[in-house]
């Protein structure tokens, strides 16, 4: 399904099992289970174990969520705690806006 334009392809880059990485993972799982209404693929890459992949993807900060498809690609940096900002940053419709739960999500193109 790697070439299917209807599949949302996400990669989460983390640096070990830090509290911030764990929060990002928990928040992302909540979002994909409760907010996404489309098929998706999720890869989680620990940059401490696979620095080559982080270098290839030009990852400079963690946690970073990369939307690879459908285009346009997007990058979000932070713990993904604000569901509305994550959905907007990925250019996906949110079912209901969520209140920010703290943390920060920087959207970069």
């Amino acid at each position: 399904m790697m070439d299917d334009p209807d599949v949302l392809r996400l990669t989460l880059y983390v640096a070990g099992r830090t509290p911030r990485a764990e929060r990002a993972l928990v928040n992302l799982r909540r979002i994909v289970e409760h907010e996404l209404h489309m098929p998706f693929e999720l890869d989680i890459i620990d940059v401490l174990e696979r620095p080559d992949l982080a270098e290839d993807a030009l990852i400079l900060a963690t946690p970073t969520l990369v939307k690879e498809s459908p285009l346009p690609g997007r990058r979000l940096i932070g713990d993904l705690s604000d569901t509305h900002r994550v959905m907007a940053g990925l250019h996906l419709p949110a079912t209901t806006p969520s209140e920010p739960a703290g943390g920060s999500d920087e959207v970069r193109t």
Side-chain angles (χ1 to χ4, degrees):
M1 275 197 192
M2 194 173 218
D3 295 42
D4 187 343
D6 295 326
V7 174
L8 178 65
R9 291 184 50 231
L10 301 171
T11 302
L12 179 63
Y13 292 87
V14 297
R17 296 189 58 95
T18 65
R20 189 167 166 94
E22 292 296 319
R23 276 193 312 274
L25 187 54
V26 166
N27 289 331
L28 183 56
R29 285 193 174 135
R30 176 184 43 79
I31 290 168
V32 298
E33 289 174 6
H34 299 288
E35 302 292 331
L36 288 183
H37 302 289
M38 63 187 301
F40 67 92
E41 295 176 1
L42 173 62
D43 290 320
I44 300 168
I45 297 175
D46 186 333
V47 301
L48 299 177
E49 294 177 11
R50 296 298 311 266
D52 56 315
L53 295 178
E55 185 177 341
D56 291 347
L58 303 175
I59 301 301
L60 301 175
T62 61
T64 296
L65 179 64
V66 178
K67 174 187 159 197
E68 300 186 30
S69 73
L71 294 176
R74 302 286 291 175
R75 293 173 179 244
L76 286 80
I77 301 169
D79 66 9
L80 311 174
S81 60
D82 185 336
T83 300
H84 181 70
R85 287 182 69 188
V86 171
M87 297 296 284
L90 294 176
H91 288 194
L92 300 170
T95 53
T96 57
S98 299
E99 290 297 316
S104 67
D105 292 315
E106 299 174 17
V107 178
R108 300 179 356 165
T109 57

